[in-house]
């Protein structure tokens, strides 16, 4: 398998970690940078942090890491662009033109060769063809989505503080990790904002979490999900289960258990890759993910896929779940394969190390499994919160190293102490 010109499309958790690992192993060889990363953003943000950007408790420009800077430090090259098409026979990929905010073309369509191609383009929310969802629901698929929602949220805060009703209603569709974490971030942000308002500007924040399934946090054990449900209820979040959304309206939701009025709707349910994947000439599954085998190979030679965009065989005959830890494990495995093509590491095996959910500054809940202590054990409160933060720091360690990660964590802690929790722009 050729080493030269390993091209990775998508700089999310898996794609960036793969580029960094390969760059450090192969990028210095003969003075050439043989690893190329392509992404449609100029900076990287850990996707599990998007709900914090949306709620205003995290500044994406402070948290984000520049791809060109990461490329220099990890000995890979970076190209800004969006994948448009593949020519599998010629082993080339085409990037779409780049336009400025006014629509003027800055960079024309480009065609680039590849020796080995890795697709790590991620996925987005699954709207399940729900009427009105496309028009009226905010999604949190990338930084632009999160910032757009935060802008709407800031305007809604201002309007609510000067309205006669003195209430802002937000409905969140989907009670997985993103929906649950967003609900707590919104409440804590509202509490901090309220502390700085005059008494005649105080308004209530009405958050409703809408879940089609029988309980929230379907990926967690019953005990952890139950703890989270009780915590949310105690903080004032209305939790509706068995409430499949039938329609999204400009002023709320129609659900199986009745209407839910809302000024803002966030869709955080389901995972589905973009339909454009089906037009690249590779086999895709029902969720538009690239079908890969136990070695992450797609239906084309020397084309791999990992992370949320890949439908990979997992435990119990089910696909590997679309989770950050799965992408990181796949990146580490594929880095060994591509760096040492003459060694056989065996097939990729996903190991579920558990799930952690942040419940704001007060703590979290989670389960730890796999190779840790027995089949699983539950953690909650500050221990779960610290474990959740450790996952984020471990991702940074993989791409910027231990020392820089420590300095980054310290600087952000000090910045938060000075500026406060809520960032409104």
């Amino acid at each position: 398998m050729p080493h030269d010109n390993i091209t990775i499309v998508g700089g999310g958790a898996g794609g960036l970690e793969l580029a960094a690992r390969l760059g450090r192993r192969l990028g210095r060889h003969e003075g050439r940078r043989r690893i190329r990363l392509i992404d449609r953003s100029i900076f990287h943000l850990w996707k599990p942090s998007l709900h914090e950007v949306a709620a205003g408790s995290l500044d994406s420009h402070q948290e984000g890491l520049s791809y060109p800077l990461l490329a220099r430090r990890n000995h890979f090259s970076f190209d800004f662009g969006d994948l448009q098409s593949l020519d599998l026979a010629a082993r080339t990929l085409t990037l779409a033109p780049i336009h400025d905010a006014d629509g003027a073309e800055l960079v024309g369509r480009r065609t680039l060769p590849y020796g080995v191609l890795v697709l790590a383009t991620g996925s987005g929310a699954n709207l399940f063809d729900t009427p009105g969802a496309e028009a009226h629901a905010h999604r949190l698929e990338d930084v632009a989505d999160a910032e757009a929602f935060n802008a709407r949220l800031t305007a809604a805060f201002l309007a609510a503080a000067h309205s006669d009703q003195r209430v802002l209603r937000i409905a969140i569709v989907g009670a997985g990790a993103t929906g649950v974490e967003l609900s707590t971030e919104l409440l804590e942000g509202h509490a901090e904002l309220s502390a700085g308002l005059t008494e005649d500007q105080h308004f209530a924040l009405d958050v409703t979490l809408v879940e089609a399934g029988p309980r929230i946090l379907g990926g967690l054990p019953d005990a952890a999900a139950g703890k989270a449900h009780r915590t949310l209820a105690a903080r004032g979040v209305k939790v509706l289960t068995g409430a499949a959304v039938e329609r999204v309206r400009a002023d709320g939701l129609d659900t199986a258990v009745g209407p839910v009025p809302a000024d803002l709707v966030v869709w955080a349910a389901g995972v589905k890759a973009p339909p454009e994947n089906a037009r690249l000439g590779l086999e895709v599954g029902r969720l538009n993910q690239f079908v890969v085998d136990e070695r992450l190979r797609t239906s084309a030679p020397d084309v791999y896929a990992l992370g949320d965009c890949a439908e990979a065989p997992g435990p119990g005959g089910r696909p590997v779940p679309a989770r950050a830890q799965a992408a990181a494990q796949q990146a580490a495995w594929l880095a060994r394969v591509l760096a040492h093509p003459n060694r056989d590491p065996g097939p990729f095996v996903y190991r579920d190390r558990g799930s952690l959910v942040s419940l704001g500054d007060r703590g979290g809940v989670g389960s730890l499994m796999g190779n840790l202590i027995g089949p699983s054990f539950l953690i909650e409160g500050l221990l779960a919160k610290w474990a959740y933060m450790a996952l984020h720091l471990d991702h940074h360690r993989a791409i910027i190293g231990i020392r820089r990660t420590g300095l980054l964590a310290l600087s952000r802690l000090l910045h938060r102490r000075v500026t406060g929790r809520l960032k409104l722009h």
Side-chain angles (χ1 to χ4, degrees):
M1 179 186 301
H3 280 168
D4 286 343
N5 195 2
I6 299 175
T7 299
I8 303 161
V9 182
L16 178 56
E17 289 192 24
L18 176 61
R21 289 176 183 273
L22 287 174
R24 291 193 294 266
R25 293 179 185 182
L26 304 175
R28 297 182 183 182
H29 184 65
E30 298 179 5
R32 290 177 294 140
R33 291 187 174 181
R34 305 183 307 179
I35 315 303
R36 183 202 303 267
L37 177 67
I38 299 170
D39 197 88
R40 55 188 171 190
S41 176
I42 201 66
F43 69 94
H44 169 75
L45 185 79
W46 197 49
K47 191 171 182 179
S49 298
L50 288 178
H51 70 279
E52 297 178 78
V53 177
S57 53
L58 186 146
D59 186 339
S60 62
H61 299 285
Q62 181 197 9
E63 175 73 12
L65 299 173
S66 162
Y67 281 122
L69 179 61
L70 293 171
R72 178 175 64 82
R73 288 177 174 170
N74 290 288
H75 310 288
F76 63 86
S77 61
F78 173 73
D79 263 321
F80 177 63
D82 195 9
L83 179 64
Q84 185 176 63
S85 63
L86 291 178
D87 187 331
L88 299 172
R91 293 192 178 224
T92 61
L93 59 88
T94 298
L95 301 181
I98 299 173
H99 299 87
D100 64 16
D102 297 322
E105 183 174 289
L106 298 175
V107 181
R109 185 177 288 104
R110 292 163 288 160
T111 298
L112 306 173
Y114 67 83
V116 173
L117 178 63
V118 182
L119 298 170
T121 49
S123 65
N126 190 345
L127 300 180
F128 302 103
D129 297 320
T130 306
E134 184 73 41
H136 302 301
H138 291 268
R139 286 171 280 179
L140 304 181
E141 297 179 0
D142 52 31
V143 174
D145 287 343
E147 291 180 338
F149 174 76
N150 181 249
R152 285 288 307 276
L153 179 69
T154 302
F157 276 173
L158 178 64
H162 295 86
S163 69
D164 295 332
Q165 290 78 20
R166 291 288 195 275
V167 62
L168 175 61
R169 303 165 301 178
I170 300 177
I172 302 171
V173 181
T178 298
V180 168
E181 291 174 346
L182 177 61
S183 67
T184 60
E185 289 292 330
L186 289 170
L187 289 175
E188 293 191 357
H190 172 255
E192 180 168 310
L193 176 67
S194 297
L197 296 177
T198 60
E199 186 173 342
D200 63 342
Q201 293 176 334
H202 282 188
F203 63 93
L205 182 63
D206 183 349
V207 177
T208 303
L209 196 55
V210 181
E211 170 58 42
R215 67 172 176 87
I216 69 171
L217 297 173
L220 283 177
D222 289 343
K227 169 68 176 178
H229 192 143
R230 292 189 293 274
T231 301
L232 293 174
R235 296 187 187 181
V237 177
K238 298 176 183 177
V239 180
L240 299 179
T241 56
V245 176
E246 299 168 346
R247 180 178 294 275
V248 181
R249 296 177 280 100
D251 58 352
L253 307 171
D254 293 333
T255 78
V257 297
V260 176
D263 303 298
L264 294 174
V265 174
V266 181
W267 193 281
V271 174
K272 191 172 184 178
E276 290 78 12
N277 287 357
R279 297 195 284 270
L280 295 178
L282 301 169
E283 181 184 357
V284 298
R286 64 181 183 84
L287 298 178
N288 300 325
Q289 296 167 301
F290 302 111
V291 176
V292 299
D293 62 13
E294 70 280 357
R295 295 174 185 268
L296 305 184
R297 297 174 298 199
T298 69
S299 54
D302 292 326
V303 179
Y304 298 81
L306 62 80
D308 292 4
C309 74
E311 183 181 306
R318 298 179 179 178
V320 172
R323 299 167 66 181
Q325 65 166 300
Q329 290 179 37
Q330 290 171 334
W333 182 89
L334 192 53
R336 293 195 298 272
V337 170
L338 297 179
H340 305 287
N342 296 322
R343 303 178 189 175
D344 183 6
F348 170 75
V349 177
Y350 170 66
R351 292 177 172 83
D352 188 347
R353 298 194 174 101
S355 301
L356 293 165
V357 177
S358 171
L359 297 178
D361 280 347
R362 302 183 190 180
V365 296
S367 66
L368 300 180
M369 297 176 260
N371 298 323
L372 296 176
I373 299 180
S376 66
F377 69 99
L378 303 181
I379 58 175
E380 61 181 74
L382 286 178
L383 179 60
K385 178 66 175 179
W386 293 335
Y388 183 90
M389 294 170 60
L391 289 177
H392 193 171
L393 294 176
D394 188 60
H395 171 64
H396 280 76
R397 177 200 58 77
I399 57 178
I400 62 175
I402 295 175
R403 183 176 65 85
R404 288 192 177 95
T405 296
L407 292 173
L408 189 65
L410 178 60
S411 69
R412 287 172 180 167
L413 175 63
L414 294 175
H415 185 267
R416 189 161 178 167
R417 293 285 186 184
V418 173
T419 62
R421 194 169 194 282
L422 191 65
K423 285 81 176 172
L424 297 177
H425 303 286

